[in-house]
């Protein structure tokens, strides 16, 4: 609706689906907006970008660079010019696509929110039968969203160009400290002005006080990685206040699946979520890449699948546990055998389901064998918690015995790896429920775990264990946990294990490893330590080409 400078215009091109916009010199907000519907359309547009932003490239950078997920090469599939290996081995460059997509997506989110904010600030809301309070809330929503994008960008890249408006020349990057301070200022102001949640509220995508407070706690919780200044005490205070309901009414869900199920908009645990609904703004970006081509028969639903991603293996080709070699990784093994989440995913009808994984023999709901189409063409599919070319073992084949099998990124097969079903998938009978689960972007469990870690770092391991075990018990029949956290067993690796199991596949693993100084210093399956500069991603070549005021991060 206005002329904006070229650098931001370039950012807006070619990102997520249907994001192209026309900007006109002579159309003003006062003449463009005709109704409350127009106002809400402008307000919601940056939030639809946030829906896209939470998945795909941003998720990829958080998970495929860390110790829980991988996209192995599976025969003729998924080498992708070495892309997946570069991220796994920490060899990415400024020219890699996920890095560019994340830089562009971050600043595009800021630009969209700033654009909407500037338009809405010019309006007289009374002309639309709305109040000044409505206007203030809309502006505060957008300010919080801007802080969200900058916080994520700070996590990925460090200092960013900080825009207060969309006018002017291409800006250089602010320092880490300046970017941090900008996010802090926006969130502190938002906390004071946003409404609190009351117990009867359902989550429909809007920010409330607790969401801004949790984002500020995240900022402080990871401050040492961002600005080399530990701020765990500040994070602790915010978490205590959130749990004490000073920012609204929230409580832990009594079940493990409540925050992730078809009706998770009703969960008292959700602090901020992105709405999802079948054939609308669907929370489904992961569907095709996580599952085997024939897993649609397992789900009894339609959908194109391309069999890429899976959990990193817990077992060597011979069946020995990797946990004997590495303290990180082995994500499936980290779940206790009695954990309800470790069951095979099974849709039971009527929106009910159990389990969170696909592993072992693969059958249709009717019990028919599902066969493979590549290495195991017309043979029963059996998903294994291992990586190796088992189909090439035997007389006259590539490997004489299983003991000869290498296990690395280049050696996957179509049945390689345990698959996760964090977002429930109904069958065709209940197709109306498909993608009915919202994306739980912020959960109260995160606040509880942040507080636990803060207490642990202060030496109060008992207090930390109590907070973690309050969550863990819902994962077991009768709340009986066979392996609770204790003062004696809680160390940095157990804390990371708790983060890893509770938030598996929620797009945060890299950040947690960096906070514990293990992302570049530790080993896990088919990964050795890398240089410390890989704690941050490079400024993409395409960004620097469009703005020569941008300086590259160290090491690239």
């Amino acid at each position: 609706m206005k002329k904006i400078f070229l650098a931001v215009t370039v950012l807006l091109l070619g990102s997520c689906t249907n994001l192209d916009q026309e900007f006109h010199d002579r159309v003003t907000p006062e003449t463009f907006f005709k109704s409350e519907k127009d106002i809400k359309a402008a307000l919601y547009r940056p939030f639809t970008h946030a829906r896209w932003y939470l998945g795909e490239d941003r998720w990829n950078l958080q998970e495929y660079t860390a110790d829980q997920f991988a996209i192995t090469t599976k025969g003729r599939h998924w080498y992708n010019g070495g892309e997946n290996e570069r991220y796994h081995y920490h060899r990415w460059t400024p020219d890699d696509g996920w890095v560019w997509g994340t830089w562009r997506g971050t600043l595009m989110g800021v630009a969209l929110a700033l654009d909407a904010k500037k338009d809405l600030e010019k309006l007289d809301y009374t002309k639309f039968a709305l109040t000044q309070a409505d206007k203030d809330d809309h502006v505060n929503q957008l300010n919080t969203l801007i802080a969200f994008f900058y916080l994520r960008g700070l996590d990925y890249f460090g200092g960013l160009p900080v825009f207060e408006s969309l006018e002017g020349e291409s800006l250089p990057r602010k320092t880490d400290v300046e970017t941090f301070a900008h996010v802090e200022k926006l969130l502190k102001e938002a906390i004071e002005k946003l409404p609190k949640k009351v117990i009867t509220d359902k989550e429909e995508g809007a920010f409330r006080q607790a969401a801004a407070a949790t984002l500020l706690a995240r900022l402080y919780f990871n401050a040492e990685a961002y600005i080399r200044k530990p701020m765990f005490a500040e994070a602790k205070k915010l978490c205590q206040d959130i749990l004490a309901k000073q920012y609204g009414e929230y409580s832990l869900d009594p079940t493990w699946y409540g925050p992730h199920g078809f009706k998770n908009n009703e969960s008292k645990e959700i602090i901020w979520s992105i709405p999802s609904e079948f054939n609308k703004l669907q929370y489904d970006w992961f569907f095709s890449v996580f599952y085997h081509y024939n897993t649609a028969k397992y789900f009894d639903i339609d959908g194109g699948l391309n069999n890429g991603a899976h959990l990193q293996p817990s077992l060597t080709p011979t069946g020995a546990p990797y946990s004997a070699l590495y303290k990180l990784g082995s994500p499936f093994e980290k779940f206790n055998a009695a954990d309800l989440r470790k069951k095979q995913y099974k849709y039971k009808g009527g929106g009910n389901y159990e389990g969170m994984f696909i592993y072992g023999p693969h059958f249709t709901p009717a019990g028919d064998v599902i066969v493979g189409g590549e290495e195991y063409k017309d043979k029963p599919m059996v998903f294994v918690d291992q990586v190796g070319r088992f189909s090439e073992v035997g007389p006259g084949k590539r490997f004489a015995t299983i003991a000869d099998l290498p296990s690395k990124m280049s050696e996957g097969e179509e049945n390689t790896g345990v698959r996760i079903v964090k977002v429930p998938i109904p069958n065709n009978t209940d197709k109306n429920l498909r993608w009915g689960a919202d994306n739980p972007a912020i959960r109260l469990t995160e606040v509880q775990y942040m507080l636990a870690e803060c207490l642990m770092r202060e030496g109060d391991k008992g207090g930390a264990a109590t907070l973690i075990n309050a969550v863990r018990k819902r994962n077991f029949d009768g709340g009986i946990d066979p392996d609770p956290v204790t003062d004696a067993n809680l160390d940095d690796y157990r804390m990371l294990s708790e983060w890893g199991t509770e938030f598996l596949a929620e797009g945060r693993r890299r950040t947690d490893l960096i906070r514990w100084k293990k992302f570049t210093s530790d080993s896990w399956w088919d990964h050795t330590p890398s240089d410390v500069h890989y704690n941050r991603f490079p400024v993409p070549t395409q960004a620097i080409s469009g703005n020569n005021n941008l300086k590259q991060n160290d090491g690239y």
Side-chain angles (χ1 to χ4, degrees):
M1 305 188 194
K2 57 189 70 64
K3 188 184 296 181
I4 61 174
F5 61 86
L6 178 61
V8 174
T9 303
V10 171
L11 285 169
L12 294 175
L13 298 179
S15 187
C16 48
T17 306
N18 295 327
L19 293 183
D20 295 338
Q21 297 187 24
E22 290 186 53
F23 293 88
H24 305 279
D25 291 346
R26 297 179 179 85
V27 177
T28 66
E30 294 85 348
T31 59
F32 180 82
F33 289 89
K34 303 296 185 183
S35 67
E36 179 183 353
K37 182 179 179 180
D38 294 331
I39 290 175
K40 289 185 174 179
L43 174 65
Y44 295 161
R45 177 62 194 88
F47 283 87
T48 65
H49 182 76
R51 178 201 67 85
W52 166 83
Y53 183 87
L54 283 167
E56 302 188 26
D57 292 348
R58 276 66 49 203
W59 191 95
N60 296 351
L61 292 184
Q62 285 287 80
E63 300 291 358
Y64 296 133
T65 62
D67 66 322
Q68 294 188 313
F69 287 90
I71 301 178
T72 53
T73 300
K74 301 171 183 64
R76 61 196 178 105
H77 298 291
W78 285 106
Y79 178 64
N80 282 21
E83 176 182 58
N84 300 313
E85 293 185 7
R86 286 196 300 277
Y87 289 108
H88 182 81
Y89 297 135
H90 292 190
R91 297 173 185 165
W92 55 77
T93 75
D95 297 318
D96 271 304
W98 297 349
V99 176
W100 166 236
T102 298
W103 174 275
R104 180 182 58 188
T106 300
L107 293 184
M108 182 178 180
V110 173
L112 287 168
L114 281 173
D115 186 51
K117 177 185 170 183
K118 186 172 183 179
D119 284 346
L120 297 185
E121 284 178 330
K122 292 180 178 179
L123 296 179
D124 180 356
Y125 267 47
T126 61
K127 293 182 179 179
F128 304 92
L130 296 171
T131 67
Q132 183 63 39
D134 292 322
K135 181 175 182 178
D136 292 342
D137 180 60
H138 292 173
V139 170
N140 288 322
Q141 292 287 326
L142 293 167
N143 280 336
T144 309
L145 192 60
I146 291 167
F148 163 77
F149 285 120
Y150 271 124
L151 173 56
R152 293 296 300 268
L154 176 66
D155 189 273
Y156 289 121
F157 301 104
L160 295 165
V162 173
F163 304 108
E164 300 286 357
S165 73
L166 297 181
E167 306 291 341
E169 299 297 326
S170 298
L171 299 178
R173 299 171 68 188
K174 294 289 188 180
T175 66
D176 302 340
V177 172
E178 289 169 334
T179 305
F180 184 100
H182 184 61
V183 175
E184 182 181 37
K185 176 177 179 291
L186 287 171
L187 291 174
K188 282 185 173 181
E189 292 176 353
I191 290 171
E192 294 179 359
K193 298 175 181 178
L194 288 171
K196 292 182 181 180
K197 180 179 181 177
V198 297
I199 200 67
T200 55
D201 287 338
K202 295 181 180 181
E203 291 302 319
E204 297 178 342
F207 284 115
R208 296 186 178 92
Q209 277 190 11
T214 305
L215 291 175
L216 185 58
R218 280 185 188 177
L219 181 72
Y220 292 150
F221 192 52
N222 295 287
E224 187 172 10
Y226 300 157
I227 59 172
R228 294 155 294 282
K229 177 185 175 183
M231 298 184 71
F232 293 106
E234 290 85 347
K236 173 187 172 184
K237 179 63 168 63
L238 278 165
C239 291
Q240 289 173 325
D241 290 346
I242 295 167
L243 291 172
K245 306 185 187 299
Q246 290 189 26
Y247 297 107
E249 294 282 338
Y250 302 89
S251 59
L252 293 178
D253 202 290
T255 67
W256 69 265
Y257 52 82
H260 308 287
F262 297 105
K263 296 183 178 180
N264 62 346
N265 63 312
E266 299 176 5
S267 174
K268 306 306 180 187
E269 183 172 317
I270 303 298
I271 292 177
W272 179 48
S273 61
I274 304 294
S276 175
E277 190 174 350
F278 189 34
N279 286 333
K280 294 184 180 178
L281 292 175
Q282 296 180 176
Y283 174 29
D284 63 353
W285 65 268
F286 53 84
F287 181 63
S288 63
V289 74
F290 276 5
Y291 307 122
H292 185 271
Y293 321 109
N294 293 334
T295 296
K297 298 177 182 178
Y298 179 83
F299 292 132
D300 185 25
I301 200 165
D302 60 304
L305 305 171
N306 55 34
N307 197 31
H310 53 81
L311 271 65
Q312 290 183 28
S314 300
L315 304 173
T316 69
T318 60
Y322 278 117
S323 58
L325 300 174
Y326 311 116
K327 292 183 177 180
L328 295 176
S330 300
F332 190 61
E333 187 187 65
K334 292 290 197 301
F335 288 81
N336 188 279
D339 195 317
L340 296 171
R341 297 170 296 178
K342 201 170 186 177
K343 290 184 177 182
Q344 286 265 16
Y345 174 78
K346 180 181 179 181
Y347 183 69
K348 302 168 77 171
N352 300 306
Y353 67 98
E354 66 180 17
M356 202 170 74
F357 297 102
I358 296 173
Y359 57 91
H362 214 31
F363 299 100
T364 69
D368 298 326
V369 172
I370 298 175
V371 300
E374 296 289 329
E375 293 88 357
Y376 300 96
K377 183 174 175 61
D378 299 326
K379 296 179 181 179
M381 279 289 295
V382 180
F383 290 101
V384 296
D385 192 13
Q386 298 160 292
V387 174
R389 299 286 296 174
F390 292 91
S391 63
E392 298 184 1
V393 175
K397 294 187 177 182
R398 183 181 171 196
F399 303 103
T401 69
I402 289 177
D404 297 320
L405 283 178
S407 184
K408 55 185 181 179
M409 286 289 290
S410 61
E411 301 295 314
E413 295 183 313
E414 64 177 315
N415 67 336
T416 289
V418 173
R419 313 302 170 94
I420 187 169
V421 191
K422 194 74 177 260
V423 182
I425 298 169
N427 58 25
N428 268 320
T429 301
D430 290 341
K431 192 173 182 178
N432 63 307
L433 294 176
R434 194 175 185 187
W435 316 128
D438 295 344
N439 186 342
I442 302 176
R443 301 195 277 126
L444 189 67
T445 306
E446 177 185 357
V447 177
Q448 189 136 330
Y449 274 39
M450 282 195 288
L451 178 56
E453 186 175 313
C454 290
L455 293 177
M456 174 190 172
R457 288 174 180 273
E458 291 179 349
D460 183 7
K461 291 186 177 182
T466 298
L467 289 167
I468 297 169
N469 290 332
V471 177
R472 281 183 58 91
K473 67 180 183 181
R474 69 186 181 189
N475 302 320
F476 302 94
D477 276 329
I480 301 173
D481 183 351
D483 184 28
V485 176
T486 66
D487 193 321
N489 67 25
L490 183 57
D491 61 9
D492 46 358
Y493 290 101
R494 179 63 189 257
M495 189 72 235
L496 278 169
S497 177
E498 296 303 321
W499 278 111
T501 52
E502 178 61 30
F503 292 91
L504 183 67
E506 294 189 41
R508 62 171 297 131
R509 187 59 174 175
R510 166 188 160 273
T511 299
D512 290 332
L513 293 182
I514 290 174
R515 189 177 61 259
W516 280 102
K517 299 181 174 65
K518 300 188 187 302
F519 183 66
T520 58
S521 64
D522 272 38
S523 298
W524 49 86
W525 172 78
D526 197 30
H527 177 91
T528 56
S530 60
D531 189 82
V532 69
H533 79 269
Y534 286 107
N535 280 327
R536 287 185 176 171
F537 294 104
V539 179
T541 299
Q542 287 174 270
I544 294 176
S545 297
N547 178 2
N548 58 16
N549 288 320
L550 297 175
K551 291 185 178 180
Q552 185 57 271
N553 279 331
D554 292 340
Y556 292 102

